Amino acid sequence: MREKVIETRVKKFLSEIGAYFIKIHGSNFQEPGIPDIISCYKGYFIGIETKAPGKLNNQSEQQKIHQENIEKAGGIYILTDNVDDVKRVIGGLNEKYTNSK
């Protein structure tokens, strides 16, 4: 299975739950390492870096820097090779959101 398949499944899920998201298309004109998908859900900033199954250890140094910076700023960074990881994180956010009301 290719990374694109995982990315498509993640975007479909985000769309189904009503999350805002954009796909970042890397180019020479942007900073390297920005997550593949930038999302906002119930007020939470989420950066999602998708990888092909079994390729989670292929995170670049620039991606690690973005992960660190997103997390330092209070955002959520998900490095994933499947949509279930994203569903788990969103499930936790739903629980946290419900309990804070």
Side-chain angles (χ1 to χ4, degrees), residues 66-97:
H66 281 283
Q67 176 178 2
E68 183 179 319
N69 290 337
I70 289 169
E71 291 173 345
K72 275 185 188 176
I76 298 165
Y77 185 94
I78 304 170
L79 174 63
T80 187
D81 63 358
N82 65 79
V83 71
D84 291 334
D85 290 340
V86 177
K87 289 179 178 180
R88 267 192 298 282
V89 171
I90 295 296
L93 292 179
N94 281 332
E95 188 174 307
K96 187 175 181 179
Y97 185 81

Side-chain angles (χ1 to χ4, degrees), residues 5-19 21 37 83 87:
V5 173
I6 304 303
E7 182 183 290
T8 299
R9 290 178 181 174
V10 169
K11 291 188 302 184
K12 181 177 185 278
F13 171 70
L14 293 172
S15 181
E16 289 170 354
I17 63 169
F21 66 93
I37 301 169
V83 71
K87 289 179 178 180

Side-chain angles (χ1 to χ4, degrees), residues 6-71:
I6 304 303
E7 182 183 290
T8 299
R9 290 178 181 174
V10 169
K11 291 188 302 184
K12 181 177 185 278
F13 171 70
L14 293 172
S15 181
E16 289 170 354
I17 63 169
Y20 169 81
F21 66 93
I22 56 172
K23 163 64 178 131
I24 302 298
H25 297 278
S27 75
N28 293 335
F29 300 105
Q30 79 177 37
E31 187 174 335
I34 294 173
D36 295 319
I37 301 169
I38 302 295
S39 182
C40 185
Y41 181 70
K42 294 194 177 181
Y44 293 95
F45 176 92
I46 308 167
I48 304 169
E49 179 62 35
T50 57
K51 298 288 184 190
K55 302 291 184 182
L56 290 178
N57 58 351
N58 290 354
Q59 186 183 28
S60 72
E61 288 306 312
Q62 293 93 344
Q63 290 168 339
K64 290 175 185 177
I65 291 167
H66 281 283
Q67 176 178 2
E68 183 179 319
N69 290 337
I70 289 169
E71 291 173 345

